[in-house]
Structure formats: C-alpha cells, structure tokens
Amino acid sequence: MIGAFVPERPRFTAPEKVAALNDDVARDEDPTLTGDLLEIHFMSERGGNKDIWVSRRADLGSPWETPTVELLEKINSAGNEDTPAISNDGLRLWFFRGGEQQTGIWMSERASRGDPWGDPLFVESLNPGHDDGTQVMNPHVDLPELRAVVGLNGPETQGWDLAIASRESPEEAWGEFVPLAELNDAGDQLAPFLFDDGRQLFYRSGDDLFWARRPGPNDAFEAPEPLEELNSPDGRENDPYLSPDGSVVFFSSERSGGTDIYEARRIAP
C-alpha cells in the first residue's frame, strides 16, 4: 500500500495490453489516471498529431470506453502535447507542449470531471532556464501535490536527467529543481513517478523501467533496481503510473512492434 514503506521493490504479474485503449497503427503512451482509476488520459498519434486523449469506465470491472478528444479542445493545439499527469481528484492536468507557443510544462484546470479543460497556462516555475535552452518533460506531481519530478535537458545536464521541485502547499509556486544526481548518468533518465511520500520512485533509464527508494523524502536514493517483470528485451518501456493503493501499474511498451499501453497487477511485497 502507498504510505506503508517497505524496503523491497514492488513486483508485478506479467503485463497485459489494454486493448480498448490502443490503436492498431498509432502510438499510444504516457498513461495517467485519476485516483479512482475510472478515467485515463494518455498521448496518442491516432489523430495525426501528438495529442492527449481520454477514456472512462463506469467502474473497475467495466471496459474502457472508446477514447476521445472532445473535452480536450483547449489542451490540444497545432503543436504536440504529450506526457500528461493528472491530479488525484482529476481537476488539474500538467503536460508537455511543444510548437509555436512556449515549449515546456503547461497546466490546465476544470471545475468538475464532466467539464472540459480550461485554457492552459505555462508554468514558469516548472520551466527553469527555458530561455537558455533547458527543456523540461515528463512532469509528475505526487498525491499531495507538494513535489514535482521531471526530466531536464540543458547546458547543466548529462542528457535527460531527473530533477525534483518542492513546495510547502499546493497554493504556492514550485521551488527550484534539485537534480537527483545519484540516479542520473550519461544516458537518459525520464518518465518519473514518485510515491510513498517521496520515498519511492519509478522511472525510465535507457529502454527499461527502474525502481529506487530512499529512507526519507529528503535523503538520497539508493541504488536502483530494474522492474524485471515489466521490462522486455524487444522494445522500450516507458511512462509508469502506479495506482494510489499500489495494486496496479500502467505503462507504455514497444514490445508488440508499436507503442501501446499495458497494465500489470502488483503481487508483492
């Protein structure tokens, strides 16, 4: 369970493709879900562009509805939108936008789950150094919305590096990003997902998903371990999302020849 810290890495069943969410031809990736797991946003190229799509289901035992972009008219632009991260209550959405407008992390809000998303805003505090060529992608905001972990790429990094920003309350601006130097190397580290009050982290390094933990939220992370049962030798794994109770993980994978969304159940610890 999230919040019940254990030193062993989470283990999962064999992943299964979520057929209702995937297009036979287009890339589908970057899954992010509301805390009740009844609504999923993800990036798809099925419309000819990188856009964010949404699907819903009536309950956990019901199938996913056909994905749509209806409620995302103000999110999707002529440029590319991807790597969305939705809040636990489903009322805030952080995402990457690239194109004619400012490139980086944007955020949109809505009044209720049934309403369309409002006009997105460029989040200055989550886009440090953007005027000097630093790029930010893969935002993930933790459950209490007090920590944001991202991938950074710029003059000060080794490629794509992981970094984390914090704040005292959700009403405040984000503080400066601190690199997770103990996890970064000369390769690319991206797609972070932070949980367990900031003590555990899923992320992608190279083509595989990894898990890392630390004793406390302000300590350095210990040596990471690969999520072996989720990784495939036949393609890249990316974009992990773990449910608030820790029971199921969603991620994207290239193992089938395209890029599709998969899920796996947690079995231990």
Side-chain angles (χ1 to χ4, degrees):
M1 300 291 288
I2 300 302
F5 179 73
V6 291
E8 297 83 12
R9 77 161 178 88
R11 299 180 186 277
F12 298 92
T13 59
E16 296 182 2
K17 187 187 295 187
V18 188
L21 300 177
N22 295 310
D23 184 88
D24 291 338
V25 178
R27 291 173 60 198
D28 299 296
E29 57 187 15
D30 305 319
T32 180
L33 290 86
T34 51
D36 58 11
L37 306 185
L38 300 183
E39 186 173 316
I40 184 170
H41 286 67
F42 61 97
M43 190 286 292
S44 179
E45 292 183 330
R46 68 188 69 189
N49 210 35
K50 282 187 176 182
D51 288 327
I52 298 173
W53 291 62
V54 61
S55 177
R56 292 171 171 159
R57 56 185 174 182
D59 54 59
L60 296 181
S62 297
W64 290 103
E65 299 172 355
T66 301
T68 179
V69 289
E70 277 184 21
L71 298 178
L72 293 120
E73 181 180 3
K74 293 183 177 180
I75 299 287
N76 295 318
S77 68
N80 291 319
E81 282 75 32
D82 59 11
T83 66
I86 198 167
S87 62
N88 194 55
D89 61 9
L91 301 184
R92 290 162 298 286
L93 185 73
W94 296 265
F95 61 97
F96 172 83
R97 170 179 282 176
E100 296 179 359
Q101 296 176 296
Q102 288 173 300
T103 293
I105 305 305
W106 293 65
M107 194 269 280
S108 178
E109 297 183 273
R110 59 183 177 180
S112 75
R113 297 262 289 266
D115 288 319
W117 290 101
D119 292 319
L121 299 174
F122 186 74
V123 186
E124 287 284 349
S125 56
L126 291 182
N127 291 284
H130 60 88
D131 291 332
D132 298 323
T134 297
Q135 192 172 3
V136 186
M137 284 194 73
N138 286 127
H140 172 249
V141 178
D142 68 355
L143 284 178
E145 300 183 26
L146 301 181
R147 301 177 186 88
V149 60
V150 301
L152 285 179
N153 188 355
E156 304 293 323
T157 70
Q158 307 172 75
W160 284 103
D161 285 350
L162 300 177
I164 190 169
S166 302
R167 58 186 179 182
E168 293 297 320
S169 75
E171 292 72 37
E172 297 182 17
W174 295 101
E176 293 186 5
F177 277 111
V178 177
L180 296 178
E182 64 274 20
L183 300 180
N184 295 323
D185 59 32
D188 288 337
Q189 283 73 48
L190 275 167
F193 186 92
L194 190 69
F195 61 101
D196 190 18
D197 193 29
R199 294 179 295 184
Q200 298 188 61
L201 180 75
F202 288 168
Y203 68 100
R204 173 172 69 83
S205 181
D207 288 341
D208 292 331
L209 297 179
F210 283 77
W211 167 82
R213 66 113 176 182
R214 55 186 177 180
N218 297 315
D219 296 321
F221 280 96
E222 298 172 359
E225 298 180 30
L227 291 165
E228 294 176 346
E229 60 273 21
L230 301 184
N231 295 323
S232 165
D234 300 323
R236 172 178 291 174
E237 274 63 57
N238 210 355
D239 317 309
Y241 168 89
L242 184 69
S243 63
D245 67 358
S247 66
V248 60
V249 62
F250 291 78
F251 65 102
S252 65
S253 177
E254 297 177 350
R255 69 188 65 197
S256 63
T259 304
D260 296 309
I261 295 171
Y262 286 74
E263 66 176 320
R265 298 285 167 178
R266 187 169 176 174
I267 54 176

